[in-house]
Amino acid sequence: MAADTVSFVNHPALQRPKVTEREPLHPHNARFGAEIPPAGEIDLSTLDLIDGELWRQGKYWDRFERLRNEDPLHYCPDSFPGPFWSVTRYEDVMAIDTDHKRFSSSWEYGGITLGEPISDFEMPMFIAMDEPRHSEQRKTVQPAVAPDMLKVYEPLIRSRTQGLLDSLPVNEPFDWVDKVSVELTTMMLATLFDYPFERRRDLTHWSDVATGMHNPDICPGGEEEWKATMMNCLMTFMGIYQERQQQPQKPDLMSLLAHGEKTKNMTPMELLGNVILLIVGGNDTTRNSMTASVYALNKFPKEYEKLKADPSIIPNMVSETIRWQTPLAYMRRTALEDVEMHGKTIKKGDQVAMWYVSANRDERFWDKPNDFIADRPDARRHISFGFGIHRCVGNRLAELQLRILWEEIMERFDHIEVLAEPSLNQNAFVKGYNWMPVVLHPK
């Protein structure tokens, strides 16, 4: 069933959000709105995958394909975050992700994103720690997303999802990103932190700012505003952390951190680091997968028909969405010693970007990797959650939220129709959507 889009032309939900023009972060990067040449026409030695304009325009797929085929260990000597290596094949990403003896994710070497931390503003967090500290802190928060807690959360997630879907306008356009993806993930995040529910959009704001310092539509004041916002987040959570220390332990994340043997004496910046990690990890990833699932099923309508014919494939479709989308495009590691790979030497101290987004489209590993296949047999072998000791702590919760969303969508709607190409983040780390207008067609 196709919507009568003519009547929607002037609808406010169909006005693409204005994107502020911005200067490139690096002289070699594309100017805002510039024509991006196809990968076959560029000199690989000058390719800089951190170029924000590539991500805003969604013009990176052919570059990754070329790297996988011609230069699977690629060195970028000159980039905004400094020189770095790009690893783009599935097996190579897996090898580095599981080799934490030679490749560090510790904040002391620069952490999990490319570039050096802002001086005097390092935020230690357990994902950016090596053993044994990483596991000690990770174990502290694990109970909040353990299987028994997921059983507790499931009815709550379902009732909220039902309530939200029932409140949406039918046969009328709206922005899926804001109304559904952001709202559902922010409600869940507020529950995980036991954060005041009516102020839950604070969490969205902090998450957006944490990864959007250079985006004038998110953080127009640049580094100064970023620092001020992070300090505001810290003051808020420091108050909650101290309050929970005075109360009996409960299963929310802040209470677990406040009472955990290895986390009850965290420095303020360590607390902030872990809070930001948990907010971004619990927010950006799930929300962008929720939007991706609707987008993918519109791009691949036969898969939507498959889903309607057999809703039992929803859990597998969720895994395929997470593979096809890859909400965090890369993770960084720092070499702790010289490492040989593909006839080249990664030197001790070098930054290495493991491009999950490329590994999940590697033709050597996947059949038809660019296609979205709802019942893809090996979809769960995606690498979007990372691998080894740093595998995403909340991965089961993310899957649960997406599964419930689609179970409830299938109950209510014949079809969710995407009305325009979505607006994409200008961010090489958080790969996601800012806006996607849809119309719901009821059963």
Side-chain angles (χ1 to χ4, degrees), residues 94-106 109 129-132 135 333-339 348-349 388-390:
M94 186 74 91
I96 288 176
D97 218 352
T98 50
D99 186 356
H100 53 271
K101 295 275 193 294
R102 294 193 298 173
F103 293 96
S104 170
S105 48
S106 176
Y109 300 109
M129 288 179 184
D130 294 333
E131 296 300 1
S135 287
R333 296 290 183 263
T334 305
L336 295 179
E337 57 185 75
D338 291 3
V339 178
K348 179 180 179 179
I389 60 167
H390 290 286

Side-chain angles (χ1 to χ4, degrees), residues 31 34 59 62 102 139 175 234 270 298 314 323-324 332 361 376 392 403 410:
R31 294 204 68 77
K59 299 281 178 67
D62 60 347
R102 294 193 298 173
K139 277 188 190 124
D175 175 16
L234 172 60
E270 207 171 336
N298 271 261
I314 287 173
R323 177 198 75 86
W324 187 82
R332 167 203 171 160
R361 301 286 181 105
R376 182 184 287 278
C392 169
R403 173 172 68 77
M410 300 305 275

Side-chain angles (χ1 to χ4, degrees), residues 55-159:
W55 297 86
R56 195 182 73 80
Q57 294 189 29
K59 299 281 178 67
Y60 40 80
W61 294 115
D62 60 347
R63 282 149 170 78
F64 282 121
E65 185 178 356
R66 209 177 143 199
L67 287 182
R68 287 192 301 271
N69 292 331
E70 296 176 34
D71 195 8
L73 180 65
H74 174 264
Y75 189 64
C76 176
D78 189 16
S79 175
F80 177 71
F84 67 96
W85 294 94
S86 283
V87 181
T88 47
R89 289 183 185 170
Y90 184 96
E91 299 291 354
D92 294 340
V93 168
M94 186 74 91
I96 288 176
D97 218 352
T98 50
D99 186 356
H100 53 271
K101 295 275 193 294
R102 294 193 298 173
F103 293 96
S104 170
S105 48
S106 176
W107 61 276
E108 288 143 312
Y109 300 109
I112 54 165
T113 55
L114 293 168
E116 291 313 304
I118 293 174
S119 56
D120 305 327
F121 213 90
E122 279 101 351
M123 293 192 280
M125 52 183 83
F126 69 79
I127 194 173
M129 288 179 184
D130 294 333
E131 296 300 1
R133 285 179 71 202
H134 163 262
S135 287
E136 291 169 355
Q137 294 204 2
R138 182 187 168 103
K139 277 188 190 124
T140 305
V141 297
Q142 196 108 35
V145 287
D148 54 338
M149 279 311 292
L150 297 189
K151 288 195 184 80
V152 173
Y153 291 143
E154 182 159 356
L156 175 68
I157 295 169
R158 193 172 297 279
S159 69

Side-chain angles (χ1 to χ4, degrees), residues 195-207:
Y195 190 80
F197 200 66
E198 65 287 353
R199 288 182 18 225
R200 61 189 177 278
R201 287 280 176 138
D202 293 352
L203 302 169
T204 313
H205 177 59
W206 288 325
S207 176

Side-chain angles (χ1 to χ4, degrees), residues 359-399:
N360 279 334
R361 301 286 181 105
D362 185 358
E363 307 79 355
R364 288 150 203 78
F365 188 83
W366 306 98
D367 181 39
K368 298 185 189 153
N370 295 315
D371 290 0
F372 180 88
I373 302 170
D375 53 355
R376 182 184 287 278
D378 53 354
R380 287 193 70 83
R381 297 186 68 189
H382 70 75
I383 203 163
S384 302
F385 291 132
F387 223 80
I389 60 167
H390 290 286
R391 188 170 168 80
C392 169
V393 71
N395 61 327
R396 292 284 177 263
L397 177 62
E399 290 170 343

